[in-house]
Amino acid sequence: MFRENAEEILKEAFADLLNWTVGPAGAGGLERIVSTASLSKDFTKGNIVWQLLLFTLPFMASNALQVLYSTVDMVIVGKFVGTPGLSAVSQSSQILSFATMVCLGFSNAGQVLISQALGAGKRREINEIIGTLFCLILGLGLLLSCVILLARPWIINVMHIPAESRDMAADYMIICGGGLVFTAGYNLVSAALRGMGDSRRPFLFIGIASAVNLVLDILFTGILGFGVAGAAWATIIGQAVSFLFSLCFLYRNREAFGFDFKPESFVPRKKYVRMIAELGTPMAIQSGCINLSMLYVNAMVNNVGVVASATFGVGVRIDDIVNKISQGLQFAAMPMISQNIAAREQKRARQVVLYVWLFAFVLTVFFMALYVIFGRQLFMLFSDDVAVHDLSGTFIRAILWMFPALTVMRGSNAFVQGIGNAKLSMVLSLLDGVVLRIGLSWLFGIVLDWGFYGFVLGYGLAPYGCAVPGMLYFLSGVWQRRKVLAEDI
């Protein structure tokens, strides 16, 4: 059965690719997508290749800007504060990333519901889903802010942040943790727009945040000399401006957005609270476990010293840029898959996954070449410390093993999440984030005594625990027996 399903999927993909390259559908599809005035798009018809490409590009740009947002902090801090400040930002940002990813897990659950409601033609229900999502995500953002502020001393001790970086890390956590609600707000708006099939507006909103952050980073950290605290203020002000601008924009375009912004619409509906909780909890656990495993690996690396801590922090940031850009394919594919599954267009849903794999492979080859040829130069952008530059080669040799797994994950993860199988997604992420990421880093770095190389190698090999089972699940076809989530909306 596995072989028959795999062969059928490949035949369908090649047939559709042939129609795209020689038939008139490509140009028509392009014209249809560009001319759409509404914030929502119908992915259940039209040319898949054009839709995926045009929908993906803004996501790639948005993700790149989102990483650039925090990367700018590290670059400017590295130049004006030095290696201890660089370590402080890289370590404390991991805590904030954990909280952000938990919020994103529930936001993505709302995105899946919106996409499936749109695919099933249930537009009236979208207003109630969005209103419920607003209440849940903003409330969760406030709760996580309180947790970070109260648990800050304990977190710093558990992470083994180097002594020379602790005070600066605490400042960064206080400022950015206190403004986490703005980060959560941006993510919920972007998730709602992604669910509607809009990838351009999230790019606009994060572009505003990045521009504000860059200007204030230079002003606060470089010119006024506020240090790491200045970078934190620049980050949180940029996020606040972006979120408030997005709210104003959506309110002025509320009819096209599908949410009326009436006070009664913000009252959570029990039905959708339950659905978002059931779908979002595994996604949040998934995101949280991956970040917790990152914190554990960071703690092991921090014990090696401040240079290893800074090198790992820079390397993970560079890897995050590469990862987030290719993740644009996954973000674009999720609503496309959701809509088609809800509309009973399983063939189109399967073809989306195959094209994601094709485009992800091209990106993987490009980024691996970039790492090999310009790896040291990339690290030099973040730090003037020669010791960091020298250790960067060790990081690069280990991290290259991760790229093939990321290629597979872009398609398989988009499919598992797009059809709403959050429990499987959580299991795969636990295998990746907890069992393998922590287990392999401990095995290679401590048991086998490979040191810094072993920690990074374990971190890089862990994604295979998610990529391979996810690919087998998709190719097996067992997912066709699942109940469509849109039936309960």
Side-chain angles (χ1 to χ4, degrees):
M1 180 179 178
F2 176 88
R3 180 178 177 181
E4 292 174 354
N5 275 286
E7 290 177 351
E8 179 186 357
I9 292 171
L10 289 172
K11 288 177 181 178
E12 290 170 354
F14 283 122
D16 190 71
L17 183 60
L18 181 63
N19 290 334
W20 170 59
T21 54
V22 301
L30 176 60
E31 182 181 6
R32 178 169 52 254
I33 295 167
V34 172
S35 64
T36 300
S38 173
L39 294 181
S40 63
K41 291 183 176 64
D42 183 4
F43 292 120
T44 62
K45 60 179 72 73
N47 187 272
I48 296 175
V49 176
W50 277 115
Q51 288 176 339
L52 182 60
L53 284 175
L54 293 176
F55 195 41
T56 295
L57 291 177
F59 276 130
M60 287 185 173
S62 297
N63 286 352
L65 282 177
Q66 198 162 14
V67 177
L68 180 64
Y69 193 91
S70 55
T71 300
V72 165
D73 290 346
M74 292 186 64
V75 171
I76 293 179
V77 167
K79 296 295 182 182
F80 290 99
V81 182
T83 299
L86 191 61
S87 175
V89 173
S90 66
Q91 302 304 311
S92 53
S93 62
Q94 291 293 331
I95 297 295
L96 299 165
S97 177
F98 166 75
T100 300
M101 293 303 290
V102 171
C103 292
L104 186 61
F106 288 98
S107 296
N108 284 342
Q111 173 189 322
V112 172
L113 291 182
I114 293 169
S115 295
Q116 294 220 7
L118 189 62
K122 299 182 177 181
R123 300 189 68 91
R124 182 179 61 84
E125 287 81 355
I126 292 177
N127 188 77
E128 296 180 350
I129 296 172
I130 293 176
T132 302
L133 193 63
F134 262 96
C135 291
L136 290 179
I137 301 303
L138 293 181
L140 182 61
L142 290 172
L143 175 63
L144 289 173
S145 284
C146 294
V147 171
I148 290 175
L149 293 178
L150 292 174
R152 183 188 71 259
W154 177 80
I155 293 171
I156 290 175
N157 286 329
V158 168
M159 289 184 65
H160 302 295
I161 293 178
E164 53 267 55
S165 303
R166 289 195 168 203
D167 289 342
M168 291 182 284
D171 290 341
Y172 197 88
M173 259 187 261
I174 291 172
I175 297 168
C176 291
L180 187 62
V181 66
F182 298 117
T183 307
Y186 164 78
N187 281 323
L188 83 85
V189 169
S190 296
L193 286 169
R194 288 196 302 267
M196 300 289 288
D198 186 352
S199 59
R200 289 180 295 171
R201 275 74 177 192
F203 172 61
L204 169 66
F205 301 149
I206 194 61
I208 292 171
S210 298
V212 172
N213 182 56
L214 174 61
V215 172
L216 294 183
D217 249 330
I218 295 173
L219 175 63
F220 292 161
T221 305
I223 298 176
L224 299 179
F226 291 169
V228 168
W233 279 116
T235 295
I236 211 62
I237 292 173
Q239 290 173 345
V241 170
S242 175
F243 176 51
L244 295 176
F245 180 86
S246 69
L247 285 181
C248 292
F249 174 86
L250 293 177
Y251 179 78
R252 295 184 62 182
N253 297 272
R254 53 191 178 276
E255 184 176 344
F257 179 48
F259 183 63
D260 56 23
F261 282 90
K262 294 178 180 179
E264 58 268 24
S265 295
F266 285 97
V267 177
R269 298 325 196 254
K270 291 183 180 180
K271 174 182 179 180
Y272 298 121
V273 169
R274 176 184 57 80
M275 294 183 73
I276 292 174
E278 289 178 354
L279 191 60
T281 299
M283 289 185 177
I285 293 174
Q286 163 198 355
S287 301
C289 284
I290 291 176
N291 277 271
L292 281 176
S293 69
M294 282 289 301
L295 295 177
Y296 189 88
V297 175
N298 264 321
M300 290 190 287
V301 173
N302 289 340
N303 287 326
V304 180
V306 69
V307 172
S309 174
T311 304
F312 188 75
V314 171
V316 169
R317 182 63 59 196
I318 295 172
D319 174 61
D320 201 26
I321 297 173
V322 173
N323 190 12
K324 284 294 196 303
I325 291 175
S326 66
Q327 196 177 50
L329 283 165
Q330 181 176 325
F331 281 174
M334 280 177 59
M336 295 181 69
I337 292 168
S338 293
Q339 283 193 27
N340 283 288
I341 288 294
R344 308 291 183 178
E345 295 285 347
Q346 293 182 343
K347 174 182 177 181
R348 287 179 61 85
R350 290 183 291 185
Q351 289 172 331
V352 170
V353 176
L354 288 174
Y355 288 125
V356 169
W357 280 342
L358 175 62
F359 298 146
F361 173 76
V362 174
L363 285 175
T364 294
V365 173
F366 171 77
F367 285 128
M368 289 183 73
L370 189 67
Y371 251 121
V372 171
I373 299 172
F374 299 108
R376 185 181 179 92
Q377 286 76 11
L378 291 174
F379 277 77
M380 291 171 66
L381 292 174
F382 290 83
S383 175
D384 294 327
D385 193 333
V386 176
V388 172
H389 304 164
D390 292 340
L391 195 57
S392 65
T394 303
F395 182 94
I396 293 169
R397 288 195 303 274
I399 205 66
L400 286 175
W401 289 98
M402 181 175 64
F403 282 83
L406 292 181
T407 301
V408 176
M409 286 172 61
R410 293 299 164 242
S412 58
N413 281 9
F415 185 79
V416 172
Q417 293 181 352
I419 66 175
N421 196 339
K423 292 181 180 179
L424 174 61
S425 183
M426 181 184 69
V427 170
L428 295 181
S429 295
L430 288 173
L431 183 60
D432 169 359
V434 178
V435 177
L436 293 182
R437 195 179 303 267
I438 294 176
L440 292 179
S441 295
W442 175 79
L443 173 64
F444 296 143
I446 296 177
V447 176
L448 298 181
D449 198 23
W450 291 358
F452 183 74
Y453 175 81
F455 294 136
V456 180
L457 181 62
Y459 167 83
L461 290 178
Y464 286 94
C466 182
V468 175
M471 178 184 66
L472 295 177
Y473 174 76
F474 167 71
L475 293 176
S476 69
V478 297
W479 49 270
Q480 297 181 58
R481 297 194 293 266
R482 282 181 53 85
K483 180 182 179 181
V484 176
L485 193 63
E487 295 177 4
D488 296 328
I489 295 177

